[in-house]
Amino acid sequence: WLNAQEKMQARKKICGSFKQNNYVYLLSNVLICGECGSKLSGTSCKSHSKNAQTIYYYECGGYKRYKNCSTKKVRVDDLEEQVIDYLQKYFTKKNIELLEKWIDYHAEMFNRDTEQEIKRLKKCIGSLNIKIENIVNLLIDTPSDSLKTKLTELEQERAKIQVEINAIQNSKQNPDKCKELKKFIKKLENIRALDRQNQKSIIEYLIKKVQIQRKSNSELLITIISSLKKILLIQNDIDTLDFSQ
């Protein structure tokens, strides 16, 4: 019995130590068990081979708590590969080029609209300056509390508009930011080459849910519910634009 207890404690130490590492589980926030509806979370353990390699799993929360779900544990490798394969077919070279065009076009349109709004607001400030100057001239000749109140109101309105102008100017699309965004999008041609944290971010942005259900000991049913309509909407948007000019 004592020997059995020692082995159990040793196994807990081995498995527990790997839960504390920095391994990134790509599907930890989107993976759902199709049988019991529980989330699956990442876990790991040492193999019993001589090399004692670390094996990473997703473990069903229902099985972990109640031991009543046949999904149990699923190895990370094959499951994540299928999700990345699913995404990768959308990030073709052609679609990447379309996304880059979409970024350039919308940055240009946004900045153009921004400039027009800034011009409009500066005209408002110009009109306020004239009113403020007129009131100041009146106050020189005929001091009045009502005029002073009106002057304060106009100066406050001018200051408010200036704050708005500053905010709009700060929101303009910086060419360097667009360049960085396009540089990152270019990397999506090969999602596997990205580090796991970037892969996880992409998956969580484009995938709503990955549902798995065990059909047999060796067969899993995987259902991917995605937000890839975001890409399709962008593509439809691009199809309506004329980039020839």
Side-chain angles (χ1 to χ4, degrees), residues 96-106 238 243:
I96 294 293
E97 289 173 354
L98 289 173
L99 284 168
E100 289 173 336
K101 287 183 177 180
W102 185 85
I103 290 168
D104 286 337
Y105 178 82
H106 280 273
I238 290 169
F243 293 108

Side-chain angles (χ1 to χ4, degrees), residues 42-101:
T43 187
S44 62
C45 201
K46 283 280 192 178
S47 68
H48 297 294
S49 64
K50 289 182 180 180
N51 295 331
Q53 293 180 333
T54 305
I55 303 174
Y56 297 97
Y57 298 93
Y58 289 106
E59 184 175 25
C60 173
Y63 171 75
K64 185 177 182 179
R65 288 191 296 273
Y66 309 114
K67 306 297 182 188
N68 62 351
C69 181
S70 63
T71 299
K72 298 182 180 179
K73 294 181 181 180
V74 181
R75 288 188 65 153
V76 161
D77 306 351
D78 294 338
L79 190 55
E80 291 181 349
E81 272 297 306
Q82 290 192 51
V83 174
I84 289 175
D85 281 342
Y86 173 82
L87 287 176
Q88 193 64 75
K89 68 182 180 181
Y90 289 95
F91 289 104
T92 61
K93 185 175 182 179
K94 179 183 176 182
N95 281 347
I96 294 293
E97 289 173 354
L98 289 173
L99 284 168
E100 289 173 336
K101 287 183 177 180

Side-chain angles (χ1 to χ4, degrees), residues 15 21 50 57 67 79 101 131 136 149 151 159 179 206 212 233 240 245:
C15 293
N21 67 15
K50 289 182 180 180
Y57 298 93
K67 306 297 182 188
L79 190 55
K101 287 183 177 180
K131 291 178 182 179
V136 169
T149 302
L151 178 62
K179 190 183 293 184
L206 294 172
I212 62 169
L233 285 172
T240 65
Q245 297 179 353

Side-chain angles (χ1 to χ4, degrees), residues 15-58:
C15 293
S17 65
F18 285 92
K19 290 180 182 179
Q20 302 302 318
N21 67 15
N22 294 322
Y23 187 81
V24 178
Y25 293 89
L26 303 186
L27 309 179
S28 58
N29 293 326
V30 296
L31 196 55
I32 301 292
C33 175
E35 181 177 332
C36 70
S38 299
K39 289 185 175 182
L40 282 83
S41 56
T43 187
S44 62
C45 201
K46 283 280 192 178
S47 68
H48 297 294
S49 64
K50 289 182 180 180
N51 295 331
Q53 293 180 333
T54 305
I55 303 174
Y56 297 97
Y57 298 93
Y58 289 106

